[in-house]
Amino acid sequence: MGTTQLDLIGLLRALDPEAPLAERHLWLVGLLGWIRGETDNPDVAVARVRMLIDAAEVRPDWLKLWHHWWEEFLSDMDATPLLAHLGFAPQGSFSSELGHRLRRKLLPVAPDTTDLSELFSLLFPSELDVKWLRALDERTLRRLRTTLFRADEASPRPLVGRYALRTLLDALASAISQISAVGQSADVRARMSAKVKQKRPFLDLPIVFETLREAVMAHGRQSAPALVAAGQLREQLDACRAAAATVYTHLEEHGISVHIEFQLRQMRQRIIRVKALLLCLETDSPAQATAQLLSHLVKVNLDSRSLRALLATSTELLAAKVTERNAETGEHYITRSAGDYWRLLGAAAGGGGLLAFTTWIKLAIGATGLSAFWGGWWSGINYAVSFILIMLLGWTVATKQPAMTAPAMAAKLKDMSAPDAVESFVDEVVYLLRSQTVAILGNVGLVMPVVFALSMALAWLDWGDGVMDPYHAQYILAQHHLLGPTVLYAAATGGLLFLSSVIAGWAENWFVFHRLDSVIAYHPRITARLGAERARRWGLYWRNHVSSWTANISLGLMLGLVPPIVSFFGIPMEVRHVTLVAGQIAAAMHELGAGVLGQPALWWALGGIAITGLTNLAASFTLAFKLALTAQNVPAVDRRRVYAAMGRRLLRQPHSFLLPVRVRHTAPPQPTVTEPPADAG
């Protein structure tokens, strides 16, 4: 006799229907563990199920004990939560689901429970359970049904059949009540189309189910009235799903809510669960349907324990929330014609000229000897005010735009089936990169001479002695050495550039979602103070510009405050923005005089300017582009097509990434909304 058979005989002998609840459940856990065995082969597990049935058939005394055990199990256990709610957030929100999954990971499940959904994780803990349950053949399932569960016997107490039918109907009622509740919630109902609300799909859903319940109880689950009622319930579920789709239309137009999106996803999954339960109710092969349903529930249970899956789903929702708004803003930053290219050069030169003053103010703040936090705070205010002035004057700051433009480009990948979708996207990459090239040239090309001129003026006025000295100038050149930590600091700064665009997208979505433009335009107190016309113009202005203000203010404060906050934890970090770096190096050159031209440190620092600009651009664009691809749910295959097309374009037309030469013809861009003047008052 083999070891496997000896183990099985030991398990069979340990069966005790009168044992305490926890011990009975632990026995079942052990039996299912024996079925899984030590391999990952589902065929081995199926063979062990057959071995169990063979052993039970030749032991009538044991079968009597088993049937007693099984009746006790069904009498104690509540399977309704398992069928209706397994895999769904208890409170229908991301935060509650995150807490629920953390508790399940950190706290072990107690076996003395009457809730089958809690015991389920102990009974079926691995992916192998999904496979062997699906691999059970029809003959083995039939033997299980007749031998172990007596489902086909003319028993005076058909406990299994009654229990299964009651549990199925209760699970359907519970799941349908959740679907109806979400559909009738204030947040969802307010965003549903008026035409759909008049049809009352969610309000009538429980009524349609009650018709099915009455037909099943009166005529049987496979009777003609029950089958007709089941078909009507399916149609009602489809109507609910179509009604939920109108909410997405509203969210796309008026701002995305992660909470509402999460609820709608849960609703769609509950509708799928209800349809799976209906199949079990109607089927001619209940054993096979039960095995398939169990396999599905095991898979759902394993997925519902994954924090990574939850975070991935929520990241996708957050990405959509951010990029849908930034896709509109980003269009303004992409230049497609030679005229736009040269206009951007002028705007970048203007931005560089203003940032020359920003550079000297930053140096003056550093010379005051403030503590790290307050020095960072006033530096952040300096940056934020400068960025806002540049925005209001219609100028631009190099490397800030990619984080805003990447979503605009990724939005063009929504329909990858279009014949020229990939090439059109590569065109957008070309337009962006050459726009950024000219923006960097404009910023750096003017910030350095203006800083030099300011340094000369301050020296003539005798105002800059405490701000810059030869030691400080040499330190600046050493700080920005090409082979030093410049690349790492520039990449971190690119991350802040990207984060500012995320904050901007979130703020604009929040503004639009809560309809604050309408509040500003029509609220009685505001119109009484501003006047109806001015309030209307203010509402329109802030709808169009809230993301720009948020991006510039948040970026300025982060550039000032993040380095001292991060350094507090022992992690060195400094701001490395290409324009600000160029300005500081220009100030150091003036302080050191013409002799600095013979110092290698100067040329290494000038090389640091180039690598800083490239790294700023690459880091912010890459992060924003990956976020946008996540939001658009672009699969890996299509991503590879995009990367391959970009490589081909780089080999075929490398100069097009830098110069305003003509690229392949693309469809004209969508027209942008004409913005009101900066002074909305």
Side-chain angles (χ1 to χ4, degrees), residues 300-351:
V300 167
N301 186 51
L302 293 174
D303 291 343
S304 70
R305 296 170 62 88
S306 171
L307 292 175
R308 180 180 297 179
L310 177 66
L311 293 174
T313 300
S314 300
T315 299
E316 191 175 313
L317 294 177
L318 179 62
K321 180 175 183 175
V322 172
T323 56
E324 286 295 331
R325 312 278 14 131
N326 277 351
E328 300 173 9
T329 306
E331 283 287 351
H332 301 296
Y333 293 112
I334 300 178
T335 61
R336 296 177 174 83
S337 66
D340 291 339
Y341 183 91
W342 297 115
R343 279 191 293 273
L344 179 60
L345 178 62

Side-chain angles (χ1 to χ4, degrees), residues 12 14 30 34 77 101 131 175 187 195 288 347 355 606 631:
L12 297 182
W34 174 83
M77 299 305 293
R101 294 193 185 194
K131 299 174 183 176
D187 286 340
K195 184 178 180 181
Q288 194 164 5
L355 286 176
L606 293 176

Side-chain angles (χ1 to χ4, degrees), residues 210-395:
E210 281 304 315
T211 303
L212 171 63
R213 180 197 284 273
E214 292 172 1
V216 169
M217 299 305 294
H219 305 287
R221 63 183 182 86
Q222 290 188 301
S223 63
L227 295 176
V228 170
Q232 292 173 340
L233 180 58
R234 282 195 176 86
E235 292 178 1
Q236 193 70 19
L237 290 168
D238 291 338
C240 290
R241 193 164 185 172
T246 66
V247 179
Y248 285 105
T249 304
H250 184 281
L251 292 176
E252 289 175 3
E253 183 178 354
H254 299 286
I256 296 169
S257 165
V258 172
H259 173 68
I260 294 176
E261 288 254 18
F262 187 81
Q263 283 190 315
L264 293 177
R265 287 194 177 198
Q266 294 268 297
M267 180 202 295
R268 291 201 308 272
Q269 291 165 359
R270 284 189 188 275
I271 290 174
I272 294 171
R273 177 71 58 83
V274 167
K275 290 185 176 182
L277 296 177
L278 282 175
L279 285 175
C280 292
L281 188 68
E282 300 170 307
T283 182
D284 293 327
S285 305
Q288 194 164 5
T290 302
Q292 297 299 311
L293 179 61
L294 277 176
S295 175
H296 169 72
L297 291 175
V298 173
K299 178 64 175 172
V300 167
N301 186 51
L302 293 174
D303 291 343
S304 70
R305 296 170 62 88
S306 171
L307 292 175
R308 180 180 297 179
L310 177 66
L311 293 174
T313 300
S314 300
T315 299
E316 191 175 313
L317 294 177
L318 179 62
K321 180 175 183 175
V322 172
T323 56
E324 286 295 331
R325 312 278 14 131
N326 277 351
E328 300 173 9
T329 306
E331 283 287 351
H332 301 296
Y333 293 112
I334 300 178
T335 61
R336 296 177 174 83
S337 66
D340 291 339
Y341 183 91
W342 297 115
R343 279 191 293 273
L344 179 60
L345 178 62
L354 198 150
L355 286 176
F357 293 87
T358 306
T359 302
W360 256 106
I361 295 172
K362 169 63 175 67
L363 293 172
I365 292 171
T368 59
L370 294 172
S371 65
F373 175 81
W374 289 111
W377 168 260
W378 289 111
S379 294
I381 295 295
N382 174 39
Y383 295 144
V385 170
S386 300
F387 295 153
I388 289 294
L389 287 174
I390 289 171
M391 176 193 72
L392 295 177
L393 292 170
W395 295 337

Side-chain angles (χ1 to χ4, degrees), residues 477 482 596-609:
L477 296 182
L482 174 63
V596 73
L597 297 175
Q599 294 186 19
L602 171 65
W603 302 104
W604 283 112
L606 293 176
I609 296 176

Side-chain angles (χ1 to χ4, degrees), residues 149-160:
F149 303 121
R150 297 193 304 175
D152 289 340
E153 291 182 2
S155 172
R157 294 191 307 156
L159 180 63
V160 174

Side-chain angles (χ1 to χ4, degrees), residues 116-270:
L116 189 53
S117 63
E118 292 184 3
L119 186 63
F120 203 69
S121 297
L122 289 176
L123 299 177
F124 302 104
S126 73
E127 288 283 350
L128 179 60
D129 294 308
V130 180
K131 299 174 183 176
W132 74 259
L133 284 168
R134 286 191 180 277
L136 289 170
D137 57 278
E138 185 177 353
R139 182 172 180 274
T140 303
L141 288 168
R142 187 166 59 249
R143 292 179 66 199
L144 272 173
R145 180 176 170 83
T146 57
T147 302
L148 293 184
F149 303 121
R150 297 193 304 175
D152 289 340
E153 291 182 2
S155 172
R157 294 191 307 156
L159 180 63
V160 174
R162 284 204 320 258
Y163 181 89
L165 183 60
R166 185 184 72 245
T167 302
L168 265 177
L169 291 174
D170 289 351
L172 282 167
S174 184
I176 283 171
S177 68
Q178 292 292 323
I179 295 169
S180 179
V182 172
Q184 295 183 74
S185 65
D187 286 340
V188 173
R189 185 175 174 81
R191 291 163 179 82
M192 206 177 293
S193 73
K195 184 178 180 181
V196 165
K197 278 191 284 191
Q198 292 175 357
K199 296 180 179 179
R200 311 191 327 165
F202 293 99
L203 195 63
D204 293 340
L205 183 62
I207 300 173
V208 176
F209 169 71
E210 281 304 315
T211 303
L212 171 63
R213 180 197 284 273
E214 292 172 1
V216 169
M217 299 305 294
H219 305 287
R221 63 183 182 86
Q222 290 188 301
S223 63
L227 295 176
V228 170
Q232 292 173 340
L233 180 58
R234 282 195 176 86
E235 292 178 1
Q236 193 70 19
L237 290 168
D238 291 338
C240 290
R241 193 164 185 172
T246 66
V247 179
Y248 285 105
T249 304
H250 184 281
L251 292 176
E252 289 175 3
E253 183 178 354
H254 299 286
I256 296 169
S257 165
V258 172
H259 173 68
I260 294 176
E261 288 254 18
F262 187 81
Q263 283 190 315
L264 293 177
R265 287 194 177 198
Q266 294 268 297
M267 180 202 295
R268 291 201 308 272
Q269 291 165 359
R270 284 189 188 275

